[in-house]
Amino acid sequence: MNDCVFCRIVAGSAPAAKVYEDDTVCAFLDIRPITRGHTLVIPKTHAGELQDLDAETGAHVFQVGHRLALAIRRGEPAGSPVRADGANLVLNDGSAAFQTVGHVHLHVIPRKHGDTLRLAAGFLLRRPHDPETTAAAIRAGLALLDTEPDTDNEQPPPEKGSRR
């Protein structure tokens, strides 16, 4: 699909600050992020909406989104401008759900305690944040995950004063 900007990013003919790529998906910073580190995970094969996406690829999109969310929670180095306390994983399916690019994409949106972001308003007030430094920080967080023991089922310790 030559008219699809995400397909052009996959093909390398459109610019993007990529943070992850494998044979199935590509992840890159949103050019109009809601928060610093706002990343999109897309299937490399064009799928306009979820109905066009096979379940296996869809599962892989979410697996990569999960991994990116973990990476931004770790933040490397400590004090990284991308380090987050949590993340929203959002997939808008179809124009009625505010999908603005006709290619399936999962938003990974870093969140911090005390931020005042409301998602609906955030989608309207989007501004870029130093994409090269931000992408490098997320890639460093991913690399850090590769050096940690497998903790897929472990939860981080609760924060002081939290009600978990």
Side-chain angles (χ1 to χ4, degrees):
M1 306 248 2
N2 289 337
D3 62 333
C4 175
V5 67
F6 289 173
C7 288
R8 291 194 311 267
I9 288 171
V10 169
S13 60
K18 292 182 181 179
V19 298
Y20 177 83
E21 185 168 13
D22 63 26
D23 292 340
T24 306
V25 302
C26 180
F28 51 90
L29 296 180
D30 192 305
I31 61 168
R32 291 180 43 236
I34 292 175
T35 62
R36 187 171 195 160
H38 178 171
T39 302
L40 303 178
V41 182
I42 66 165
K44 286 186 167 182
T45 302
H46 185 82
E49 296 181 354
L50 281 177
Q51 68 185 6
D52 306 321
L53 186 68
D54 67 90
E56 185 176 314
T57 301
H60 189 61
V61 166
F62 272 89
Q63 288 171 335
V64 171
H66 173 257
R67 187 162 170 74
L68 287 166
L70 292 175
I72 62 173
R73 287 185 73 125
R74 304 276 189 303
E76 186 61 29
S80 164
V82 181
R83 189 175 184 98
D85 301 316
N88 289 113
L89 299 175
V90 179
L91 193 144
N92 303 325
D93 182 34
S95 61
F98 307 109
Q99 181 180 356
T100 58
V101 176
H103 188 122
V104 171
H105 54 287
L106 176 67
H107 296 261
V108 180
I109 305 167
R111 300 299 301 269
K112 294 185 180 187
H113 288 293
D115 69 21
T116 58
L117 172 67
R118 292 184 327 259
L119 278 181
F123 274 104
L124 298 175
L125 306 170
R126 298 163 73 174
R127 293 176 176 75
H129 305 273
D130 184 17
E132 285 74 27
T133 302
T134 301
I138 294 171
R139 286 190 298 267
L142 286 169
L144 181 64
L145 288 177
D146 291 336
T147 64
E148 292 180 352
D150 184 10
T151 58
D152 284 346
N153 295 320
E154 291 182 23
Q155 297 259 338
E159 292 197 15
K160 198 173 194 175
S162 73
R163 293 181 176 169
R164 206 185 331 169

mmCIF file of all heavy atoms in Angstrom, residues 73 83-87 110-117 156-164:
data_model
loop_
_atom_site.group_PDB
_atom_site.id
_atom_site.type_symbol
_atom_site.label_atom_id
_atom_site.label_comp_id
_atom_site.label_asym_id
_atom_site.label_seq_id
_atom_site.Cartn_x
_atom_site.Cartn_y
_atom_site.Cartn_z
ATOM 1 N N ARG A 73 8.847 1.347 31.886
ATOM 2 C CA ARG A 73 8.737 1.350 33.355
ATOM 3 C C ARG A 73 10.107 1.204 33.990
ATOM 4 O O ARG A 73 10.357 1.718 35.077
ATOM 5 C CB ARG A 73 7.821 0.232 33.833
ATOM 6 C CG ARG A 73 6.357 0.526 33.552
ATOM 7 C CD ARG A 73 5.491 -0.529 34.141
ATOM 8 N NE ARG A 73 5.464 -0.386 35.577
ATOM 9 C CZ ARG A 73 4.369 -0.262 36.293
ATOM 10 N NH1 ARG A 73 3.197 -0.274 35.695
ATOM 11 N NH2 ARG A 73 4.417 -0.144 37.589
ATOM 12 N N ARG A 83 11.315 7.295 31.575
ATOM 13 C CA ARG A 83 10.939 6.409 32.695
ATOM 14 C C ARG A 83 9.512 6.715 33.134
ATOM 15 O O ARG A 83 9.158 7.867 33.338
ATOM 16 C CB ARG A 83 11.909 6.593 33.848
ATOM 17 C CG ARG A 83 11.711 5.565 34.932
ATOM 18 C CD ARG A 83 12.791 5.706 36.001
ATOM 19 N NE ARG A 83 12.656 4.671 36.974
ATOM 20 C CZ ARG A 83 13.356 3.557 36.987
ATOM 21 N NH1 ARG A 83 14.254 3.342 36.067
ATOM 22 N NH2 ARG A 83 13.162 2.660 37.913
ATOM 23 N N ALA A 84 8.708 5.679 33.249
ATOM 24 C CA ALA A 84 7.292 5.855 33.557
ATOM 25 C C ALA A 84 6.871 4.956 34.711
ATOM 26 O O ALA A 84 7.542 3.976 35.028
ATOM 27 C CB ALA A 84 6.457 5.534 32.325
ATOM 28 N N ASP A 85 5.751 5.302 35.312
ATOM 29 C CA ASP A 85 5.182 4.506 36.394
ATOM 30 C C ASP A 85 4.152 3.509 35.882
ATOM 31 O O ASP A 85 3.738 2.609 36.595
ATOM 32 C CB ASP A 85 4.517 5.429 37.421
ATOM 33 C CG ASP A 85 5.490 6.419 38.021
ATOM 34 O OD1 ASP A 85 6.617 6.012 38.371
ATOM 35 O OD2 ASP A 85 5.135 7.607 38.127
ATOM 36 N N GLY A 86 3.733 3.689 34.650
ATOM 37 C CA GLY A 86 2.738 2.811 34.052
ATOM 38 C C GLY A 86 2.606 3.141 32.579
ATOM 39 O O GLY A 86 3.352 3.954 32.043
ATOM 40 N N ALA A 87 1.643 2.507 31.923
ATOM 41 C CA ALA A 87 1.423 2.772 30.503
ATOM 42 C C ALA A 87 -0.019 2.456 30.140
ATOM 43 O O ALA A 87 -0.643 1.584 30.737
ATOM 44 C CB ALA A 87 2.359 1.916 29.644
ATOM 45 N N PRO A 110 3.377 6.111 27.767
ATOM 46 C CA PRO A 110 3.931 6.165 29.120
ATOM 47 C C PRO A 110 3.104 7.070 30.024
ATOM 48 O O PRO A 110 2.616 8.126 29.591
ATOM 49 C CB PRO A 110 5.324 6.751 28.915
ATOM 50 C CG PRO A 110 5.649 6.491 27.478
ATOM 51 C CD PRO A 110 4.331 6.574 26.764
ATOM 52 N N ARG A 111 2.955 6.669 31.278
ATOM 53 C CA ARG A 111 2.224 7.460 32.272
ATOM 54 C C ARG A 111 3.057 7.584 33.532
ATOM 55 O O ARG A 111 3.822 6.689 33.871
ATOM 56 C CB ARG A 111 0.890 6.784 32.614
ATOM 57 C CG ARG A 111 -0.065 6.594 31.452
ATOM 58 C CD ARG A 111 -0.486 7.903 30.791
ATOM 59 N NE ARG A 111 -1.135 8.815 31.715
ATOM 60 C CZ ARG A 111 -2.445 8.866 31.927
ATOM 61 N NH1 ARG A 111 -3.257 8.057 31.273
ATOM 62 N NH2 ARG A 111 -2.951 9.738 32.788
ATOM 63 N N LYS A 112 2.900 8.688 34.235
ATOM 64 C CA LYS A 112 3.591 8.931 35.498
ATOM 65 C C LYS A 112 2.561 9.262 36.565
ATOM 66 O O LYS A 112 1.532 9.873 36.272
ATOM 67 C CB LYS A 112 4.581 10.087 35.355
ATOM 68 C CG LYS A 112 5.710 9.756 34.410
ATOM 69 C CD LYS A 112 6.739 10.848 34.356
ATOM 70 C CE LYS A 112 7.816 10.393 33.385
ATOM 71 N NZ LYS A 112 8.951 11.241 33.343
ATOM 72 N N HIS A 113 2.867 8.863 37.806
ATOM 73 C CA HIS A 113 1.991 9.223 38.914
ATOM 74 C C HIS A 113 1.844 10.739 38.940
ATOM 75 O O HIS A 113 2.821 11.469 38.783
ATOM 76 C CB HIS A 113 2.563 8.748 40.255
ATOM 77 C CG HIS A 113 2.491 7.274 40.443
ATOM 78 N ND1 HIS A 113 1.304 6.594 40.586
ATOM 79 C CD2 HIS A 113 3.459 6.342 40.486
ATOM 80 C CE1 HIS A 113 1.547 5.309 40.716
ATOM 81 N NE2 HIS A 113 2.852 5.127 40.654
ATOM 82 N N GLY A 114 0.610 11.191 39.115
ATOM 83 C CA GLY A 114 0.369 12.622 39.230
ATOM 84 C C GLY A 114 0.230 13.354 37.908
ATOM 85 O O GLY A 114 -0.055 14.547 37.899
ATOM 86 N N ASP A 115 0.429 12.642 36.773
ATOM 87 C CA ASP A 115 0.223 13.370 35.517
ATOM 88 C C ASP A 115 -1.267 13.698 35.397
ATOM 89 O O ASP A 115 -2.116 13.073 36.009
ATOM 90 C CB ASP A 115 0.780 12.651 34.285
ATOM 91 C CG ASP A 115 0.039 11.377 33.880
ATOM 92 O OD1 ASP A 115 -1.129 11.211 34.262
ATOM 93 O OD2 ASP A 115 0.640 10.551 33.181
ATOM 94 N N THR A 116 -1.556 14.700 34.658
ATOM 95 C CA THR A 116 -2.952 15.147 34.550
ATOM 96 C C THR A 116 -3.554 14.776 33.207
ATOM 97 O O THR A 116 -4.578 15.321 32.824
ATOM 98 C CB THR A 116 -3.030 16.671 34.760
ATOM 99 O OG1 THR A 116 -2.203 17.312 33.786
ATOM 100 C CG2 THR A 116 -2.592 17.051 36.158
ATOM 101 N N LEU A 117 -2.907 13.859 32.513
ATOM 102 C CA LEU A 117 -3.363 13.468 31.183
ATOM 103 C C LEU A 117 -4.720 12.784 31.239
ATOM 104 O O LEU A 117 -4.938 11.864 32.027
ATOM 105 C CB LEU A 117 -2.351 12.514 30.545
ATOM 106 C CG LEU A 117 -2.762 11.871 29.230
ATOM 107 C CD1 LEU A 117 -2.863 12.927 28.141
ATOM 108 C CD2 LEU A 117 -1.779 10.801 28.834
ATOM 109 N N PRO A 156 6.083 -5.656 40.308
ATOM 110 C CA PRO A 156 7.008 -4.811 41.042
ATOM 111 C C PRO A 156 6.464 -4.564 42.442
ATOM 112 O O PRO A 156 5.246 -4.637 42.651
ATOM 113 C CB PRO A 156 7.049 -3.517 40.222
ATOM 114 C CG PRO A 156 5.820 -3.535 39.391
ATOM 115 C CD PRO A 156 5.453 -4.975 39.208
ATOM 116 N N PRO A 157 7.357 -4.299 43.401
ATOM 117 C CA PRO A 157 6.860 -4.058 44.754
ATOM 118 C C PRO A 157 5.950 -2.837 44.766
ATOM 119 O O PRO A 157 6.151 -1.902 43.984
ATOM 120 C CB PRO A 157 8.136 -3.811 45.574
ATOM 121 C CG PRO A 157 9.183 -3.487 44.570
ATOM 122 C CD PRO A 157 8.782 -4.119 43.291
ATOM 123 N N PRO A 158 4.928 -2.830 45.627
ATOM 124 C CA PRO A 158 4.028 -1.675 45.662
ATOM 125 C C PRO A 158 4.784 -0.441 46.117
ATOM 126 O O PRO A 158 5.724 -0.525 46.911
ATOM 127 C CB PRO A 158 2.950 -2.077 46.667
ATOM 128 C CG PRO A 158 3.517 -3.221 47.434
ATOM 129 C CD PRO A 158 4.558 -3.853 46.588
ATOM 130 N N GLU A 159 4.367 0.706 45.609
ATOM 131 C CA GLU A 159 4.983 1.958 46.023
ATOM 132 C C GLU A 159 4.530 2.299 47.420
ATOM 133 O O GLU A 159 3.433 1.938 47.844
ATOM 134 C CB GLU A 159 4.622 3.062 45.052
ATOM 135 C CG GLU A 159 5.248 2.862 43.708
ATOM 136 C CD GLU A 159 5.228 4.124 42.899
ATOM 137 O OE1 GLU A 159 4.995 5.211 43.451
ATOM 138 O OE2 GLU A 159 5.456 4.009 41.699
ATOM 139 N N LYS A 160 5.366 3.041 48.112
ATOM 140 C CA LYS A 160 5.037 3.458 49.454
ATOM 141 C C LYS A 160 3.689 4.188 49.454
ATOM 142 O O LYS A 160 3.482 5.092 48.653
ATOM 143 C CB LYS A 160 6.138 4.390 49.968
ATOM 144 C CG LYS A 160 6.154 4.558 51.441
ATOM 145 C CD LYS A 160 7.375 5.346 51.846
ATOM 146 C CE LYS A 160 7.595 5.248 53.321
ATOM 147 N NZ LYS A 160 8.811 5.897 53.736
ATOM 148 N N GLY A 161 2.794 3.744 50.286
ATOM 149 C CA GLY A 161 1.488 4.387 50.385
ATOM 150 C C GLY A 161 0.465 3.909 49.368
ATOM 151 O O GLY A 161 -0.649 4.396 49.350
ATOM 152 N N SER A 162 0.842 2.954 48.479
ATOM 153 C CA SER A 162 -0.140 2.490 47.485
ATOM 154 C C SER A 162 -1.065 1.469 48.120
ATOM 155 O O SER A 162 -0.763 0.876 49.149
ATOM 156 C CB SER A 162 0.567 1.899 46.267
ATOM 157 O OG SER A 162 1.111 0.639 46.588
ATOM 158 N N ARG A 163 -2.196 1.239 47.487
ATOM 159 C CA ARG A 163 -3.210 0.312 48.014
ATOM 160 C C ARG A 163 -3.324 -0.894 47.130
ATOM 161 O O ARG A 163 -4.391 -1.233 46.661
ATOM 162 C CB ARG A 163 -4.549 1.004 48.076
ATOM 163 C CG ARG A 163 -4.609 2.090 49.051
ATOM 164 C CD ARG A 163 -5.990 2.661 49.033
ATOM 165 N NE ARG A 163 -6.111 3.663 50.042
ATOM 166 C CZ ARG A 163 -7.117 4.457 50.131
ATOM 167 N NH1 ARG A 163 -8.120 4.359 49.287
ATOM 168 N NH2 ARG A 163 -7.180 5.361 51.083
ATOM 169 N N ARG A 164 -2.268 -1.599 46.915
ATOM 170 C CA ARG A 164 -2.345 -2.765 46.072
ATOM 171 C C ARG A 164 -2.688 -3.979 46.835
ATOM 172 O O ARG A 164 -2.474 -4.197 47.953
ATOM 173 C CB ARG A 164 -1.027 -2.982 45.343
ATOM 174 C CG ARG A 164 -1.317 -3.710 44.103
ATOM 175 C CD ARG A 164 -0.252 -4.146 43.248
ATOM 176 N NE ARG A 164 0.951 -3.384 43.239
ATOM 177 C CZ ARG A 164 2.056 -3.804 42.659
ATOM 178 N NH1 ARG A 164 2.078 -4.939 42.073
ATOM 179 N NH2 ARG A 164 3.118 -3.109 42.643
#
